[in-house]
Amino acid sequence: MDFFNTIYYSTVATSLLPFIALALFPRALKGFSKQVRRGLIAYFIYNVLHHASQIILLDFLDSNPIPAAHISICIEFYILLYLFHAILPIKHIQVIAIAGLLPFLADAFWVTSLYEFVKLSGVIYFFANACFAFRIIYKIGLKKKESNFVTAFFLYFLVCFVHEAFGNLMIVNPLVLDMVFPLFALINAALSVAFMWGIIRSNHSSADKFTKQSLNSAY
């Protein structure tokens, strides 16, 4: 196993951390609405399946993983659109949902193709995700339990946007790729760690709320 595979496999392993945290604290997300819980769990599942599909296609089926990557970031956009809307309603959500298909279609059939690296759609989706996350942080602040996850999304997609915007430089220059790939893998791992920490923090908040309710009932 070469250096890049070792790093990538390690990153995939960290994507399981939120599920480990949920197994240890099964009531951690009870303080969120049903829609927010669904959105978070859907993203946790997506994160694992995205990395797993890339490994299966590339290493086991010896197939081109790029078509799956095109579809994957489009699915990611809609999962996050659902989650962000559940946390803080987005105006004209139906229009945004319909327009969200355009970058995927443009990248797949016009700007490039399904078998070429993601370009336009990656930049647009990552920038949109960062903007939606920033909007929530701006509106609700950093003290609410939702911000434990939204802040991680904002920082992650801001980095993704920069990474995607200058992706051509990394493809052309192998030296740059060698330097950036481990860093970007570390950022992906940090996102999973942030999710795990958010679940632990949410569990503590739920436990504190339950304790206060119990004390109030006692009096």
Side-chain angles (χ1 to χ4, degrees):
M1 184 181 298
D2 62 24
F3 175 69
F4 284 95
N5 281 343
T6 301
I7 292 176
Y8 191 63
Y9 282 11
S10 300
T11 302
V12 175
T14 62
S15 66
L16 297 172
L17 290 176
F19 294 101
I20 295 173
L22 286 173
L24 294 173
F25 308 105
R27 298 183 60 84
L29 300 182
K30 292 295 183 181
F32 296 99
S33 69
K34 184 183 294 184
Q35 291 78 11
V36 172
R37 290 199 304 269
R38 286 175 179 171
L40 285 172
I41 293 173
Y43 191 84
F44 298 156
I45 294 172
Y46 157 82
N47 203 29
V48 174
L49 294 181
H50 165 72
H51 292 301
S53 66
Q54 297 295 296
I55 289 174
I56 291 171
L57 288 171
L58 188 61
D59 294 344
F60 294 95
L61 299 180
D62 197 24
S63 299
N64 187 345
I66 293 178
H70 276 277
I71 298 170
S72 178
I73 65 168
C74 183
I75 293 173
E76 179 183 51
F77 171 76
Y78 282 101
I79 290 174
L80 288 173
L81 188 64
Y82 175 87
L83 174 60
F84 293 150
H85 182 63
I87 296 173
L88 186 66
I90 300 170
K91 291 182 179 180
H92 311 298
I93 184 68
Q94 294 87 353
V95 175
I96 295 172
I98 294 171
L101 280 174
L102 297 179
F104 166 74
L105 295 173
D107 233 3
F109 304 108
W110 180 45
V111 178
T112 57
S113 76
L114 272 175
Y115 295 92
E116 296 180 71
F117 284 103
V118 178
K119 291 183 180 178
L120 178 67
S121 57
V123 171
I124 293 176
Y125 286 143
F126 297 152
F127 182 72
N129 291 336
C131 287
F132 286 134
F134 178 78
R135 170 180 172 269
I136 293 173
I137 295 169
Y138 180 77
K139 295 283 187 178
I140 72 173
L142 297 174
K143 293 184 179 180
K144 290 192 175 182
K145 54 185 177 295
E146 289 88 351
S147 64
N148 293 328
F149 299 96
V150 177
T151 303
F153 279 125
F154 169 68
L155 295 174
Y156 173 72
F157 284 108
L158 191 62
V159 173
C160 285
F161 169 70
V162 174
H163 177 272
E164 198 68 24
F166 295 97
N168 286 340
L169 175 62
M170 287 181 286
I171 294 171
V172 172
N173 191 331
L175 180 60
V176 176
L177 178 62
D178 289 343
M179 292 187 296
V180 172
F181 180 82
L183 177 61
F184 194 65
L186 179 62
I187 292 169
N188 273 269
L191 180 67
S192 297
V193 173
F195 288 154
M196 182 182 69
W197 178 243
I199 292 170
I200 295 171
R201 288 281 302 274
S202 299
N203 181 72
H204 289 165
S205 298
S206 298
D208 291 343
K209 183 178 180 180
F210 177 77
T211 302
K212 289 179 181 178
Q213 289 175 344
S214 299
L215 290 173
N216 291 335
S217 299
Y219 289 105

